[in-house]
Structure formats: structure tokens, C-alpha cells
Amino acid sequence: MNITIAGTGYIGLVTGACLAEAGHSVTCIDIDQKRIAELRQGIIPIHEPGLDELVIRNATENRLAFDTDLKRHVNQSDALFIAVGTPPLASGKTDLSYVEAVAKSIGKYMEHPCLIVIKSTVPVGTSGNIGKILTRELKLRNAGCRFELASNPEFLREGQAVADFMHPDRIIAGTSSLHAKELMETIYKPFTIHGVKLIHMDIPSAEMTKYAANAMLATRISFMNEIANLCDAVGADIRMVRHGMASDERIGRHFLNPGCGYGGSCFPKDVQSLIQTGLQHGLEMKIAQATEQVNATQRSILVDKLIHLWEGIPGLMNKTVAIWGAAFKPDTDDTREAPSAAMIHRLLDLGVTVRLYDPVVRNITRFFPDRNAVYEANSINDAVLGADALLVVTEWDDFREPDWKRIRELMHGDIVLDGRNMYSPRLLRQEGFLYQGIGIPA
């Protein structure tokens, strides 16, 4: 099929590259001329393992192209995916202006029947509003062409997005007509012939499924963080508790690792959007609200531990703290809503100098008003040089086996606060460190 993807951000680019890999002819559209020029040269704007090879291979084999002109491709497409950003507004609601702008442009240019697939994460009811925008634009031109709508939410994990798309647990297709259903089956036939489940449902249910799934996963994270904090208080070991819980097949083992909070472009935004959707319909989403509140607190848990160890806020003045990890999770360069940012802002407010290292994220200091107080290190050893304490925030593989003897020599202090429970408390204490994890007995 000929498929056009509106948007070359994280979702649009991964979707386009993977559909091209599946054999479709795909064109990705973006109004950012610089980005399109770079993509045509094989320069990938995001860090996502395997994506660069996929883009270059399919572009070379003429299955994947990039353009800035949506008008040129609307009437050459069997299906047109809307995969632009839906960032959160200050109110917590979802900004749909980019989705609506694309829909308006499609309505202006469409002359032939087409399937419009909403890939962007949007609140329940958005697809219906998109249908109204398209209808209005067609009527303004007295154009009588027919269109179909589908909701096709993504469930991609940053850092594993290519694998998730090519080998998904399931594919959700929300449609309102038999024809749209058949078109979705054609698009995803390269996947379903290998046994992937294509689950059909109505459009509002498909939109809700995305939010419900992400909110559930975020809730598990916040729940485990609360349990870990209680373990700290009562002397239990969260590692043993987690093992006992995961052995119950009703619970399973996924998303049971405590830490210093979740971040990224999905969980924070989607939980907030679910809360706002509930309020718009007179419902208070109490569990989602609690999930968000626990996460907001957990993002500063390592700083709280540091203040306690140094016996209050005055103990932090003129100290130097090393941080390993800026991205909200490993294998991505995404720092949106990252716990590291919350920690750094708080440390700077307390008069602390920060030495930060991340294997992928660059120019992180641009996010902080006092750039001179944040040193961007070039290695884990450089980060800890002269540091009074080390906070481990992201579980990069690069951090798993450091030379602790050398780290101890380079550091001025001896505190290691492990926000991802990556290390052996016994080993670090043997090396002379004052070590604390999340929910691990001191």
C-alpha cells in the first residue's frame, strides 16, 4: 500500500520505517525542512537502537521517502497516518493543535477516498472531532470524496521501539466501518500472518485502551515505589518482596522495579490526560491522581536521602554531587519529565554544584538557568571527580560494572545513592562507600 505519515517525531519516524520494512511504500511528511533534509541524508534526529539502519536501508531500497509537501501526497495515499506530537498543556489537558492542523490540511487537499489513521496519542473523542474537521473542510470546497477513520494507538517503549513495532504483543485497530477494518487488516497483514493479534474495536475504545494501559503501568511503578519507601521505614528488603510478588502469576514480574520515579513523553502526559478526561465527564480519577502524586514525590527521593545523610539542608551548601544518567530511561536520549531534571533543579536551589554524565544525552545544561553550576562530564570517572556524593539515576549498561576502587579514589566523599538498585550493597560497603538504594536495608 501507499502510506503517508504526517510527522517525523518519535512515533512517526518509527512507524514509517517499520511499515516500509514490512513492504509498504511510505512517505514521511514534516514541515521542518531542516529535519527532512537531514533524514534524506540518513541523519536520524533521535536515539533509538536499530532505527538508523532501518531508515537507511528502506530509503536506499526506495520504500521510504521524506518530504515537506503534504498536498503532493494526500491523493497518492491509500492510508494517511497522523503521528504528530500531542504535548501537555499547563492545565494538564492535551494539546491537539498539531493533530487538528494536519486534519485541516488533509481536508483542504483530499480529492480521492482515503483512510485516515490517528496514530498520535489523543483523548477519547478526538477521532470524532477529526472527522468533523475533515467534513467541514470538504464541504467548504464542495468536495464529495469519502474518507474512513481509524484509531491505531502505539505501544512502543523508548529504547525498544523498533522491536516493539516489528514484534508487537498486539495491534489495536479502532474503526467504525467494515471497509476501514479491511484496510487496517491489509496494512498489518505482514504482521498478522506471523501470528500477531490484530484486535478490532470501536474508535472510542481504542483511544481509551492506550490511556488505560499506560496508566496501569504507571500505577504499578508508583505502587512499588511506595512499597519500597515503606521497606526503608520498616527494615524490609524490596528485592525479596518483589520476588515474592512476581512469583504470583496473577501479578507477574513486569513493572515491579522500584526507583526514583517514571518520566518520558508518555506516562506523565497520559496519566494527566486521563485525569483531565475524567474531570471533563464529572469523574475524579483518584487512582490516577495518586499515581501522579507519588511519582512527583519519588523524583526527589535521592535528594531527600542526601539531605538526611548530611543532617539537613545546610549540610548541602557548597557541596558537589555527581549524577550518572540524564535520560529518563536507558537506550534513549529523551529527557522529558526525567527524574534527573527534578533532582538537579532541587540541588541547584540548595546551592549544590552538579557534575552530570550521560552516555547519549548532550548539551543537557541548556535546561538549567545556572549553567555554570552544572558541569557536563565526558565519562563516569570525570563526573565523580571531587564529588561529595554520587546519585545513580538512569540504569545504563555503561554504569553496571564501574571500577569502584578508582571511583572511590576520585571522589571527595563516600556517599553512593542508587536510584535504580543496580549494585550490591555489600560490595560497595566493602569498597568503603556509604551506600543506599531504594527499599534496601542499610
Side-chain angles (χ1 to χ4, degrees):
M1 294 180 71
N2 289 324
I3 296 174
T4 296
I5 311 281
T8 61
Y10 179 77
I11 301 305
L13 189 56
V14 172
T15 299
C18 290
L19 288 177
E21 181 73 6
H24 296 294
S25 178
V26 180
T27 302
C28 291
I29 306 293
D30 203 297
I31 60 174
D32 187 334
Q33 295 184 357
K34 181 175 182 290
R35 170 167 289 198
I36 292 299
E38 290 178 344
L39 285 168
R40 286 172 173 170
Q41 298 172 42
I43 301 172
I44 311 303
I46 57 176
H47 177 82
E48 183 62 42
L51 182 59
D52 50 355
E53 294 95 333
L54 212 62
V55 169
I56 292 169
R57 178 169 63 250
N58 283 280
T60 300
E61 296 177 4
N62 296 318
R63 287 192 301 270
L64 181 62
F66 302 98
D67 205 343
T68 58
D69 189 356
L70 179 64
K71 180 179 180 180
R72 182 187 308 169
H73 296 277
V74 165
N75 295 304
Q76 300 174 9
S77 303
D78 301 306
L80 202 156
F81 283 66
I82 299 179
V84 293
T86 52
L89 296 168
S91 64
K93 295 180 180 179
T94 301
D95 183 354
L96 297 172
S97 60
Y98 302 109
V99 172
E100 292 170 350
V102 172
K104 189 172 182 179
S105 295
I106 294 170
K108 282 182 178 180
Y109 305 139
M110 188 165 56
E111 300 288 351
H112 302 289
C114 185
L115 174 67
I116 312 300
V117 182
I118 313 299
K119 196 71 173 174
S120 302
T121 299
V122 295
V124 179
T126 299
S127 295
N129 292 334
I130 295 305
K132 292 177 182 178
I133 291 173
L134 290 165
T135 300
R136 182 173 65 246
E137 292 299 323
L138 290 170
K139 284 183 177 179
L140 287 174
R141 299 189 292 111
N142 292 319
C145 60
R146 183 171 59 90
F147 65 87
E148 302 278 359
L149 283 175
S151 173
N152 180 214
E154 53 82 19
F155 299 94
L156 307 179
R157 295 168 294 175
E158 291 192 48
Q160 301 177 64
V162 171
D164 285 347
F165 198 106
M166 299 305 295
H167 307 284
D169 296 324
R170 80 293 198 198
I171 299 168
I172 302 296
T175 56
S176 57
S177 72
L178 178 60
H179 184 55
K181 179 180 178 182
E182 291 172 343
L183 288 172
M184 292 299 289
E185 289 177 346
T186 301
I187 292 171
Y188 286 108
K189 187 175 181 180
F191 301 89
T192 57
I193 60 174
H194 295 294
V196 174
K197 292 179 291 184
L198 177 58
I199 303 174
H200 292 285
M201 57 183 70
D202 59 83
I203 289 176
S205 296
E207 293 172 329
M208 180 60 80
T209 297
K210 166 67 174 181
Y211 282 102
N214 275 0
M216 172 62 80
L217 297 175
T219 299
R220 284 174 70 104
I221 294 172
S222 282
F223 177 79
M224 288 305 295
N225 283 336
E226 278 210 314
I227 294 297
N229 294 341
L230 185 57
C231 285
D232 274 335
V234 302
D237 190 327
I238 190 61
R239 297 169 298 180
M240 297 179 182
V241 174
R242 185 184 69 238
H243 180 64
M245 293 174 63
S247 299
D248 187 330
E249 63 181 17
R250 297 170 301 174
I251 297 174
R253 62 184 178 84
H254 297 293
F255 283 81
L256 294 185
N257 292 318
C260 45
Y262 60 77
S265 63
C266 293
F267 286 5
K269 174 174 71 75
D270 292 354
V271 169
Q272 182 59 239
S273 185
L274 191 65
I275 292 169
Q276 291 297 321
T277 299
L279 291 175
Q280 291 169 20
H281 291 82
L283 294 172
E284 188 177 2
M285 308 297 289
K286 295 180 181 179
I287 294 176
Q289 290 174 351
T291 295
E292 182 180 56
Q293 290 164 4
V294 169
N295 191 62
T297 301
Q298 197 71 12
R299 285 150 55 91
S300 290
I301 190 70
L302 296 186
V303 179
D304 292 337
K305 287 177 177 287
L306 198 57
I307 290 173
H308 179 73
L309 288 171
W310 280 335
E311 299 181 344
I313 290 176
L316 274 74
M317 298 298 292
N318 302 315
K319 295 284 190 179
T320 296
V321 173
I323 292 181
W324 287 355
F328 84 95
K329 63 180 290 188
D331 295 320
T332 181
D333 58 355
D334 194 345
T335 59
R336 286 173 288 183
E337 300 292 333
S340 62
M343 292 182 207
I344 292 170
H345 278 296
R346 191 169 175 204
L347 288 170
L348 294 180
D349 288 342
L350 295 171
V352 173
T353 297
V354 174
R355 297 177 69 87
L356 172 67
Y357 173 68
D358 189 281
V360 171
V361 178
R362 297 290 177 267
N363 195 25
I364 190 67
T365 57
R366 69 187 185 278
F367 295 114
F368 304 103
D370 186 0
R371 296 188 178 190
N372 294 327
V374 182
Y375 170 73
E376 193 165 336
N378 55 41
S379 68
I380 57 174
N381 286 0
D382 187 27
V384 300
L385 184 62
D388 298 289
L390 165 63
L391 310 187
V392 182
V393 180
T394 311
E395 62 271 38
W396 283 99
D397 285 343
D398 303 51
F399 304 160
R400 292 197 179 278
E401 298 290 340
D403 182 346
W404 287 113
K405 291 185 185 299
R406 180 59 177 156
I407 298 297
R408 186 66 189 89
E409 292 171 356
L410 292 170
M411 287 182 64
H412 178 265
D414 61 357
I415 295 173
V416 174
L417 300 182
D418 182 359
R420 301 298 175 183
N421 291 349
M422 294 178 67
Y423 308 116
S424 163
R426 181 182 57 82
L427 173 63
L428 266 75
R429 288 164 189 156
Q430 286 178 349
E431 295 292 347
F433 291 100
L434 195 167
Y435 172 89
Q436 288 188 13
I438 306 291
I440 299 176

